[in-house]
Amino acid sequence: MAKTPLGKLKPAAIGMMELPRLDAQILAGFRELADLTGTTSDALDECDIAGVVPASVLKPTDPGARVVGQAITVLNRVVSERRKVSGLADSEAHNLAEPGDVLVVQGVPQISSMGGISATIGKRQGEAAAIVDGAVRDIDHSRAIGYPIWSSGVSPITGKWRVETMAVNDAVHIAGIEVRPGDLVVADECGVCFVPFARAAEVLAIARRLAASEARRLQALRDGMPLAEFVRLPR
């Protein structure tokens, strides 16, 4: 059933109401990778795609979380003067999310773009996680409800009066990487990888090959293969 905007943004500020959808088998294939972001990062390298952000830049609130989902995007900007009403409209993105999607927010430093209410809405909508290039707050709450967040900062300063949502489901930039709505997001305790929608199947095929090679090499070490032989194995 088609969704209706909530009226928090002008219609032109919502880039698309429905995401292009990846085949479920592609999503499942990424979830099966033992070394999720490491293998995906290597596959992106082979494809000459810059799409990886380390956990030192986007820190996870839950180091045990592993996420594979498609991006619902939000673009936030600082306002020149403090507002008297909230300028945040991430609720428009939550409203469009389908179960398993990942909220991806281009936020601002030192000011929170997401707190407990937003995390609770995201969790209720079935979102897998949020990625925020900027600050978030109430991370004890998001952890408690099982809504993992990767962010570049944590701050108690609310964005309600200081930040304005400019667009939903349009291109955003996360740590310098362009992310479009529908792109694949994979994240774990090592960092975050963004895979362009149109190349997800290609990246998965390479990741599977790399994972199989890694598994063979690890088994060779467990089997006691002499190092002189091991170093000559194909990668």
Side-chain angles (χ1 to χ4, degrees), residues 20-221:
R21 289 295 169 183
L22 291 168
D23 189 290
Q25 292 186 352
I26 293 177
L27 297 172
F30 277 96
R31 293 189 184 106
E32 291 168 358
L33 296 174
D35 179 10
L36 179 58
T37 58
T39 307
T40 303
S41 175
D42 290 350
L44 288 169
D45 279 347
E46 285 207 18
C47 293
D48 199 26
I49 298 171
V52 185
V53 184
S56 57
V57 176
L58 292 173
K59 304 172 186 65
T61 57
D62 177 4
R66 282 171 48 98
V67 168
V68 176
Q70 290 186 250
I72 292 275
T73 64
V74 176
L75 174 61
N76 287 341
R77 296 278 172 80
V78 176
V79 296
S80 56
E81 295 182 2
R82 284 182 57 178
R83 303 167 59 106
K84 295 183 179 180
V85 295
S86 176
L88 292 173
D90 49 296
S91 56
E92 291 284 8
H94 291 309
N95 180 52
L96 299 178
E98 297 291 340
D101 287 345
V102 178
L103 191 73
V104 178
V105 181
Q106 182 180 336
V108 299
Q110 312 304 324
I111 301 173
S112 174
S113 283
M114 167 172 277
I117 295 295
S118 184
T120 300
I121 295 172
K123 177 69 174 180
R124 194 188 72 168
Q125 295 295 98
E127 294 167 18
I131 312 294
V132 183
D133 188 2
V136 298
R137 67 179 192 172
D138 303 334
I139 58 174
D140 55 340
H141 176 83
S142 60
R143 267 197 300 264
I145 65 173
Y147 185 79
I149 300 172
W150 282 255
S151 74
S152 60
V154 176
S155 171
I157 302 172
T158 182
K160 291 178 183 177
W161 331 121
R162 301 172 174 88
V163 172
E164 182 177 15
T165 298
M166 306 300 295
V168 162
N169 274 352
D170 207 343
V172 295
H173 289 84
I174 306 297
I177 295 169
E178 183 177 80
V179 181
R180 293 186 172 275
D183 283 353
L184 181 66
V185 184
V186 303
D188 59 20
E189 65 180 329
C190 292
V192 180
C193 299
F194 299 106
V195 182
F197 176 88
R199 303 189 69 179
E202 174 190 3
V203 173
L204 175 59
I206 294 171
R208 281 173 162 164
R209 172 174 55 79
L210 295 173
S213 174
E214 181 86 352
R216 288 192 296 269
R217 289 163 60 80
L218 288 172
Q219 188 60 51
L221 289 173

